[in-house]
Amino acid sequence: FFLSLPMASRGFLFPLRRRLLCTAAPQPLAFKIERTKTNNLPVYLHYKNGRTRCVTVVKKYKGDVEVLKSHIQSVVGRQHEIKTKAAALEVIGDHKKEIDEYLEKLGF
């Protein structure tokens, strides 16, 4: 049926079929971030030193910490230090909006 169509003879159907066959499924991430009870992402701002120093904290993650750190490092920039604390990652500075948007884009 498809070969009798004039468009099939011009090659319109074959690139579409090739594109569908070559599309690979996205690779699963090595970490997972759970949402809070109110369905928000667990990214918080903490103020220290008498509210003169701002720290962005990412909590409730599971999986490979180094991969998560590299993803956050790509969002905030290489010049910002990321510290691993007990069950939390701390990024120096106010990066809540950027990290929230990035994690939303990843599907969390």
Side-chain angles (χ1 to χ4, degrees), residues 26 39 67 78:
N39 205 25
V67 174
R78 297 281 176 206

Side-chain angles (χ1 to χ4, degrees), residues 2 12-26:
F2 288 112
F12 285 111
L13 294 177
F14 298 114
L16 177 64
R17 189 174 71 182
R18 185 180 320 124
R19 185 172 50 216
L20 291 175
L21 292 176
C22 295
T23 305

Side-chain angles (χ1 to χ4, degrees), residues 49-100:
N49 273 358
R51 298 187 61 89
T52 60
R53 184 172 156 220
C54 183
V55 178
T56 306
V57 180
V58 180
K59 295 183 178 183
K60 297 184 79 165
Y61 61 86
K62 293 181 181 177
D64 195 356
V65 178
E66 295 302 319
V67 174
L68 176 60
K69 281 174 73 171
S70 68
H71 278 264
I72 293 175
Q73 194 92 47
S74 68
V75 173
V76 300
R78 297 281 176 206
Q79 70 272 18
H80 297 284
E81 181 183 0
I82 299 177
K83 295 180 183 178
T84 305
K85 299 288 183 169
L89 290 178
E90 290 187 353
V91 185
I92 306 299
D94 183 0
H95 304 286
K96 181 178 176 9
K97 185 176 179 181
E98 294 92 9
I99 294 174
D100 272 342

